[in-house]
Amino acid sequence: MPIVILGQEVKGYTSIIHNDYDASFSMTEYLIKQHHREIAFIGVDEKDEAVGVVRKKAYLDCLNKYAVKVDSKLMAIGDFDIDTGYQMMQQILTHKTPTAVFAVTDHLAIGAIHALLDAGLRVPDDVSVVGIGDIKLAAYLNPPLTTVHYTFKTSGKMAAEAVFELMEDDTKQGKRFMTTFELKTRASVKAI
């Protein structure tokens, strides 16, 4: 039976993955080019290779490339839900108020926005916030969320094509395909 994995790379299986490294690097770089230097990071556990490891590595690599100091007090790791984004943002705010927040998912970004608002801060006037995923709600938030849009329809098509290819010839198992992304710059980021 042909097996195709979407969203994670699994050795020995055909995998359709998102370009998490370049997407995260580009988002961090976008914040830096908006003159942000105190960029908080809200991530997930490293058990998730793509979201927990790759996105964090890209963030750190980008800070390093632009000689932006890494501040561990501006980094918090949790799970994938909105509540976690809220709690992690609260944790960061006990140490320092960043100028921007990079959350590795839109759900985490939404939680962070609500924590900032509850702390009396304005988005983006006081703190800019970005996410990854471009969930439908992202464009309808107030302010609309700057995020990374992955080509989910394309990845679905690629997965279907890979399944059909494996049905024809199962010796082709183990290929790796990467989808593209687009930065959706919206009103949740303000240059400083």
Side-chain angles (χ1 to χ4, degrees):
M1 176 175 288
I3 296 174
V4 175
I5 311 294
L6 278 166
Q8 295 282 345
E9 186 171 2
V10 178
K11 294 204 184 302
Y13 292 96
T14 298
S15 301
I16 314 293
I17 60 172
H18 302 299
N19 191 345
D20 287 300
Y21 184 88
D22 288 347
S24 298
F25 192 98
S26 294
M27 185 57 84
T28 308
E29 184 175 56
Y30 172 72
L31 290 171
I32 291 170
K33 288 184 176 181
Q34 301 304 307
H35 309 289
H36 292 280
R37 292 298 178 270
E38 292 189 341
I39 304 168
F41 177 85
I42 298 177
V44 300
D45 190 279
E46 292 188 356
K47 291 176 187 171
D48 185 304
E49 179 73 23
V51 181
V53 176
V54 175
R55 293 181 190 182
K56 180 179 177 184
K57 179 175 178 5
Y59 160 82
L60 293 170
D61 287 353
C62 188
L63 293 184
N64 184 51
K65 176 184 176 181
Y66 287 94
V68 176
K69 183 182 173 213
V70 176
D71 185 343
S72 62
K73 292 181 179 176
L74 290 179
M75 298 177 71
I77 305 298
D79 59 33
F80 285 88
D81 61 33
I82 292 172
D83 289 339
T84 294
Y86 187 94
Q87 293 163 7
M88 297 299 99
M89 190 72 250
Q90 284 183 316
Q91 176 184 317
I92 290 167
L93 289 172
T94 63
H95 301 292
K96 184 188 276 190
T97 301
T99 62
V101 178
F102 172 34
V104 296
T105 72
D106 288 349
H107 286 106
L108 292 171
I110 291 167
I113 288 170
H114 284 281
L116 290 165
L117 295 174
D118 285 353
L121 298 164
R122 298 166 299 158
V123 176
D125 294 332
D126 299 318
V127 182
S128 295
V129 179
V130 301
I132 291 184
D134 198 22
I135 61 173
K136 286 192 180 204
L137 181 62
Y140 299 98
L141 291 173
N142 185 16
L145 183 65
T146 296
T147 187
V148 169
H149 174 80
Y150 284 127
T151 52
F152 291 113
K153 287 183 182 177
T154 301
S155 62
K157 183 180 177 195
M158 290 168 74
E161 289 171 354
V163 167
F164 287 126
E165 183 178 311
L166 289 170
M167 288 169 66
E168 295 286 323
D169 181 2
D170 66 355
T171 64
K172 294 185 177 184
Q173 182 66 271
K175 287 185 178 180
R176 176 181 179 255
F177 300 95
M178 189 173 292
T179 63
T180 58
F181 67 90
E182 176 186 357
L183 238 53
K184 293 284 189 175
T185 56
R186 299 184 180 123
S188 67
V189 174
K190 181 179 179 183
I192 57 173

